[in-house]
């Protein structure tokens, strides 16, 4: 029996086989968790359906959800509440900024609208999911998990306004953890190293970020969605019952390094 047997999770953020959310779903399913999924739009439904089938999950538990819409978020929990009497886990693996925000200099690229959209989709949506999901999660040893990146702490070229959105997301993790702890809900984030996914492909110079990560990391490689998924499974399970409000790095150690002398 897996260490998540009996748990029920909602995973938000599957877009492809390479999505970090896919790695998380694979680990959750392996550990015996029942999973409901959302999909951002109809174009992604067939991919999410295939994943749910592959993981032997109930394909009646797939819900449309653009996190920019409070109505769609509310509809997810209304529909889920008809199928499940409670919810143990929400995974938020969502990030977005308009493409032109993720290239060139910070001052050159940033706009009021770019700032608004990136923070709305990438950070506020975690609080929105917590607000809407609370009635189903309260009092169940529940957990929420978000996906962040080191650019919340240090300036990373091209990441620009998304770095600000990730800083907001990390602060949101701490405020949610403080507020929801007394209700039995833990809230954590994983700070993943660079992984080639659809979202990452939109970041200017992403290939250079990958090769820098390989050089800088003590493990001398990048990480996989499977590795992030395994850590996510631990953090969302009762094995991590004493951990809340934390940002856990899964980046082959890259964040501990101040510099690399390797210029190849
Ligand atoms: N890939 C990396 O290098 C990396 C590193 C650290 C953190 N992250 C974070 O991991 C998370 C998942 O990204 P990924 O790399 O797996 O890429 P991905 O493209 O596979 O996933 C991004 C997800 O965000 C969803 N999304 C975007 N806008 C949305 C909206 N308005 N409503 C609902 N869903 C929306 C997309 O549908 C997609 O499922 C993001 O928060 C990302 O910032 C990624």
């Amino acid at each position: 029996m897996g260490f998540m047997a009996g748990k029920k999770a909602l995973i938000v953020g599957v877009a492809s086989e390479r999505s970090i959310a896919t790695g998380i779903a694979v680990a959750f399913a392996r550990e015996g968790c029942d999973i409901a999924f959302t999909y951002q739009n109809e174009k992604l439904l067939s991919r999410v359906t295939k994943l749910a089938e592959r993981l032997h999950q109930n394909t009646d538990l797939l819900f449309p959800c653009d996190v920019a819409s409070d109505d769609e978020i509310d509809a997810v929990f209304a529909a889920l509440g008809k199928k499940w009497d409670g919810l143990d886990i929400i995974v938020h693996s969502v990030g977005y900024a308009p493409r032109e925000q993720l290239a060139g200099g910070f001052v050159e690229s940033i706009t009021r609208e770019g700032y608004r959209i990136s923070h709305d989709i990438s950070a506020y949506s975690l609080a929105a999911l917590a607000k809407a999901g609370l009635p189903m999660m309260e009092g169940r040893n529940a957990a929420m998990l978000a996906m962040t990146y080191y650019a919340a702490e240090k300036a990373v070229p091209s990441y620009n306004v998304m770095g600000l959105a990730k800083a907001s997301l990390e602060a949101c993790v701490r405020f949610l953890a403080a507020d929801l702890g007394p209700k039995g809900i833990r809230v954590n984030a994983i700070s993943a190293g660079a992984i080639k996914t659809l979202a990452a492909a939109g970041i200017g110079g992403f290939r250079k970020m990958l090769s820098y990560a390989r050089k800088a990391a003590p493990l001398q490689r990048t990480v996989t969605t499977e590795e992030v998924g395994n850590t996510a499974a631990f953090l969302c399970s009762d094995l991590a019952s004493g951990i809340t409000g934390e940002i856990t790095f899964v980046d082959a150690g890259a964040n501990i390094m101040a510099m690399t002398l390797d210029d190849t």
Side-chain angles (χ1 to χ4, degrees):
M1 201 165 68
F3 61 75
M4 297 181 85
K7 294 277 187 194
K8 292 180 166 56
L10 175 68
I11 297 186
V12 181
V14 172
S16 79
E17 274 297 304
R18 289 184 170 182
S19 291
I20 290 175
T22 299
I24 294 173
V26 169
F28 279 22
R30 185 193 66 222
E31 297 305 334
C33 185
D34 291 333
I35 307 170
F37 293 92
T38 68
Y39 52 94
Q40 185 187 352
N41 52 46
E42 292 303 313
K43 275 189 287 185
L44 298 177
L45 175 58
S46 63
R47 292 190 193 167
V48 176
T49 305
K50 271 186 207 148
L51 177 66
E53 283 169 353
R54 174 159 75 84
L55 299 180
H56 308 291
Q57 300 298 314
N58 182 348
T59 50
D60 287 343
L61 300 175
L62 313 180
F63 308 105
C65 184
D66 184 325
V67 297
S69 161
D70 286 332
D71 288 346
E72 289 196 21
I73 291 174
D74 287 343
V76 171
F77 291 99
L80 197 56
K82 289 185 184 142
K83 304 279 186 182
W84 284 348
D85 55 4
L87 179 65
D88 303 296
I89 297 163
I90 297 176
V91 172
H92 173 284
S93 189
V94 171
Y96 176 76
R99 203 177 177 98
E100 70 278 3
Q101 297 289 304
L102 300 172
F106 175 70
V107 173
E108 177 198 1
S109 67
I110 195 162
T111 61
R112 191 180 295 273
E113 187 63 355
Y115 183 98
R116 186 191 66 73
I117 294 171
S118 58
H119 282 68
D120 184 15
I121 305 300
S122 314
Y124 174 69
S125 56
L126 179 68
L129 287 171
K131 217 177 173 71
L134 181 59
M136 286 189 76
M137 298 181 86
E138 212 165 344
R140 285 178 69 96
N141 290 331
M144 295 188 67
L145 184 73
M147 298 305 309
T148 185
Y149 181 57
Y150 191 39
E153 292 178 34
K154 303 282 181 189
V156 173
S158 295
Y159 207 77
N160 296 340
V161 74
M162 272 301 285
L164 282 62
K166 289 303 190 191
S168 173
L169 180 74
E170 292 187 9
C172 187
V173 165
R174 290 184 284 272
F175 274 82
L176 285 173
D179 198 26
L180 300 182
K183 300 182 196 304
I185 304 171
R186 299 179 298 104
V187 187
N188 291 291
I190 289 175
S191 187
I195 301 175
K196 200 173 166 202
T197 60
L198 291 175
I203 303 167
F206 184 72
R207 264 194 301 167
K208 284 190 181 158
M209 283 170 72
L210 277 177
S211 66
Y212 178 79
R214 270 184 215 109
K215 279 186 265 178
L219 298 182
Q220 302 197 311
R221 62 174 179 83
T222 56
V223 292
T224 64
T225 57
E226 288 76 15
E227 289 173 312
V228 177
N230 287 337
T231 306
F234 162 69
L235 285 172
C236 292
S237 76
D238 293 341
L239 292 175
S241 55
I243 302 175
T244 194
E246 291 294 335
I247 312 297
T248 300
F249 280 91
V250 181
D251 68 345
N255 78 93
I256 68 158
M257 302 300 294
M259 66 169 74
T260 168
L261 296 179
D262 183 354
D263 60 358
T264 54

